[in-house]
Amino acid sequence: MFQDLDEIGACLVPLFPKDMDFNEVDDLDEGDVVHRLFRQLKEARGSRAENAGPLEIYLQECGVSRLIDGDFQSFCDANYASSEVKVTSPRGIYERAVALFSQEEYTQAVGFFCLIASLHEKAAGSLIALSACASRQALYKSGYNLAIASIKADDKHPRSHLLAGYCALRLNDLRSAKRYLALASRLARRDPMFRPEQRAAQQQLLSLQFS
C-alpha cells in the first residue's frame, strides 16, 4: 500500500526558502531576531488560533515544548549554541532549519521552524515544514493535523495536501488519504513546478486502488 519513502520522500520536505517569499530587509543581531520571534511564539501558544492546538501537541511530542516553556537563554543553549552560522533575519532562521532537516536533525529543526510559524504570513509554509518533520519522525497524527492546519491557512499548495494524504494513509484513514491525495494531484496539475507532487500523489492513489 505504501510507496517507499525514497520515492515520495522528495516531496515530504519543507518548502525551499525562495518559495517562502521572505522579503524582509531586517539586518539584526542574531539574539535580537531570535528573541523577537521567541516572544511571538510564546504569545501565539496562548492564542486561540486554529493552528495553536496541533502545534502545541506536536511540540510536546517531540520534546520542544519544555524549551519554549522555559526562558530564552535555555532555548538558545539547546538549539543554537553549536552553530557557527549567525542569522540576522527570519529567512536565515528558516534556512538553518531546512539545513538541519536535510541532516535528519528533525527535533532541532522544529525549534527553528516553530519560530517562523509565529509569523502569521509564514504560517502555512512553516506548518508544511513542521508536518514534514512529524512525518519523518513517524508522528503521523501530528503530521496530519499540522498539514490540515496548513491547508486552513492556505489551501493552494499541493504539498500540504500530499502530506495530509500520506499521513492519513499511515493512520489507515483511507477515506481522508484518497481525498487529500486527489486534491494534491489536482492542485499540482496547475503548475509544472509541482510535477513531483503530482506524480507522488498519483502513485499513492494508484497503489490504493490496487491494494
Side-chain angles (χ1 to χ4, degrees), residues 16-197:
F16 290 121
K18 66 180 179 61
D19 296 327
M20 287 288 288
D21 295 325
F22 286 106
N23 297 315
E24 76 288 334
V25 293
D26 293 357
D27 186 16
L28 303 172
D29 177 79
E30 177 173 29
D32 290 342
V33 66
V34 176
H35 197 185
R36 184 179 69 187
L37 294 179
F38 182 77
R39 288 198 310 268
Q40 289 181 197
L41 177 61
K42 289 179 80 78
E43 291 169 5
R45 289 177 72 210
S47 73
R48 295 180 179 272
E50 285 189 79
N51 60 7
L55 178 58
E56 180 61 30
I57 291 170
Y58 175 52
L59 293 179
Q60 291 177 4
E61 283 183 319
C62 65
V64 177
S65 180
R66 60 183 176 77
L67 294 175
I68 301 171
D69 285 336
D71 58 37
F72 175 65
Q73 190 57 52
S74 297
F75 182 81
C76 287
D77 289 345
N79 287 288
Y80 303 90
S82 62
S83 176
E84 296 178 358
V85 181
K86 298 298 182 183
V87 295
T88 58
S89 69
R91 182 188 179 108
I93 291 174
Y94 186 85
E95 289 175 341
R96 186 182 293 179
V98 170
L100 287 164
F101 182 95
S102 69
Q103 296 164 18
E104 300 184 1
E105 297 288 349
Y106 301 123
T107 300
Q108 193 172 356
V110 169
F112 290 86
F113 283 133
C114 66
L115 289 177
I116 303 302
S118 70
L119 298 170
H120 178 73
E121 68 276 12
K122 306 301 179 193
S126 300
L127 290 165
I128 286 175
L130 289 162
S131 175
C133 288
S135 72
R136 294 302 180 94
Q137 295 169 302
L139 298 172
Y140 298 118
K141 183 64 174 176
S142 278
Y144 176 81
N145 288 335
L146 288 163
I148 296 301
S150 177
I151 291 167
K152 289 178 179 178
D154 181 359
D155 64 358
K156 300 297 191 294
H157 204 293
R159 192 168 302 176
S160 54
H161 294 80
L162 182 63
L163 278 158
Y166 174 79
C167 290
L169 194 55
R170 289 290 182 175
L171 293 166
N172 205 33
D173 182 352
L174 302 187
R175 182 176 180 182
S176 294
K178 290 176 182 178
R179 176 189 176 192
Y180 287 108
L181 290 169
L183 284 168
S185 178
R186 193 178 311 144
L187 286 168
R189 284 201 300 267
R190 299 177 182 178
D191 192 326
M193 73 176 288
F194 296 135
R195 200 157 288 154
E197 283 89 348

